[in-house]
Each structure stands twice: as structure tokens, then as C-alpha cells.
Amino acid sequence: MTVFAIGDIHGNLRALDDLLDQVTSAIGNGDTLVFLGDYIDRGPDSKGCIDRILDLRRTTRAQVVGILGNHEQWMLETSRDFMRHSWLLGMEAMPTIESYAPQAAAKISECLAELGPRIILEKVQLPYELFFDAVPAEHMAFFSGLRALFRAPEGVFVHGGVDPANGKVEAQPVDHLIWGVE
């Protein structure tokens, strides 16, 4: 049994496909493919990357595990509170929004331009529902089902980091596992 780990795809479907083309022939029954988070943002095709991972889960003989990255964590927080803009402003989220719903990206960009500095200085809402309504339910289930860590005989897999001096990984703060140890 082998564990393959892939980190920080950031919406780059071409690079993901290239990497998967190189490793999928080596993956067999009992193997595990761990994605280490940050599937979205920055690159042009976050939607395509999630489609590819979900298709891989359906077609491969290996276990496919998804780890929660800080980009997905902040996107999920925005999905619960449309006045939280850290994902949009701090994570280069607009390419993700555009990959799922170009009209949502245009409207949100328009609202940002109208609000100017008020977006930071005041509690204002953006029309994120235009984006989240366009995200397929299967994709939202994928994001919601991501875990902070995966333990295998070969090691512990997280997005951010662990502190070996801080006891069992499972007892460490989730934000450390996602963002890294301070």
C-alpha cells in the first residue's frame, strides 16, 4: 500500500491533469491518494479541478482523501456569512467565482467597485448567493466533507502543520493543522 500526496492545486486543472496522468497508472487497490487542500483560488479552473477529483473518486481503485485547506475553510465561512470577505479579499477568490459563475463574478466585482473602502470599514453584504447557488451540490458536499487531518501508517497528512512537541495530532488546534503552527 502506497500513499500519494498532492498539495495546493489552486485551480490549475492543466497541472492537476498532468500530475494525475503521471501517477494514476501507478495507483492500485489499497493505495491512497491524499489531496492536501487549497483546491481553489488563484488559478482559472477551480470548478474543473473539483470535477476532476470527484471523477477520480468514482473511477480509481484507490482511496481518495480530501484535506481541508485554508482557502476552502474561508470559502465555507463566507457561505455561512455573506458579510465575511476574507476569502474574497485575502485568497484571490475571484477566479474561483468566475469558474463557477461568470455572472456572479461580474456582479460581485461591480459591488466591490461601488463599495470601495466600505467593504473593509463597514459590515456590508455582497451577493455571494449568486456564486453559491451556482456551485453544484456535489461540490459543496465535497468541500463540507474535507477533514483537517488524515492518518496513515506512512504518516500524518495535514494542510498547514503539526507541532511534534504538542502531543497527539488529533488533539492539536484545527487552525494549526489548516494554517500551520505559530
Side-chain angles (χ1 to χ4, degrees):
M1 296 192 299
T2 304
V3 176
F4 297 85
I6 297 175
D8 294 55
I9 299 163
H10 285 298
N12 190 336
L13 180 59
R14 198 157 78 176
L16 175 61
D17 280 339
D18 181 52
L19 183 58
L20 290 176
D21 286 347
Q22 294 178 49
V23 300
T24 50
S25 62
I27 297 173
N29 266 346
D31 290 340
T32 303
L33 181 58
V34 180
F35 288 92
L36 298 172
D38 285 2
Y39 313 89
I40 61 171
D41 302 335
R42 298 185 182 150
D45 199 358
S46 293
K47 180 183 184 298
C49 290
I50 303 305
D51 283 334
R52 181 72 168 95
I53 293 167
L54 292 172
D55 183 59
L56 185 64
R57 278 188 171 171
R58 287 187 286 272
T59 60
T60 188
R61 300 170 304 206
Q63 177 185 16
V64 177
V65 175
I67 299 295
L68 180 66
N70 53 335
H71 288 252
E72 294 80 33
Q73 182 188 45
W74 275 9
M75 182 199 69
L76 289 168
E77 289 176 4
T78 298
S79 76
R80 294 184 289 271
D81 181 355
F82 290 176
M83 288 190 268
R84 288 190 69 122
H85 310 301
S86 53
W87 172 56
L88 180 65
L89 300 176
M91 296 292 190
E92 298 177 48
M94 199 56 78
T96 297
I97 296 170
E98 176 116 11
S99 78
Y100 281 94
Q103 73 284 2
K107 182 62 176 173
I108 291 169
S109 292
E110 178 186 317
C111 290
L112 277 173
E114 288 173 12
L115 289 167
R118 291 178 43 217
I119 194 73
I120 296 169
L121 301 172
E122 300 173 19
K123 277 193 89 74
V124 294
Q125 186 168 312
L126 287 175
Y128 291 116
E129 70 275 1
L130 298 172
F131 165 70
F132 288 107
D133 288 350
V135 177
E138 184 181 27
H139 287 219
M140 286 307 293
F142 170 80
F143 293 126
S144 297
L146 296 172
R147 50 175 109 167
L149 71 98
F150 174 70
R151 182 183 286 278
E154 295 80 4
V156 175
F157 300 84
V158 301
H159 177 72
V162 296
D163 183 354
N166 202 16
K168 278 188 76 93
V169 173
E170 291 81 0
Q172 294 189 23
V174 171
D175 275 352
H176 288 185
L177 302 177
I178 296 170
W179 289 87
V181 181
E182 299 170 352

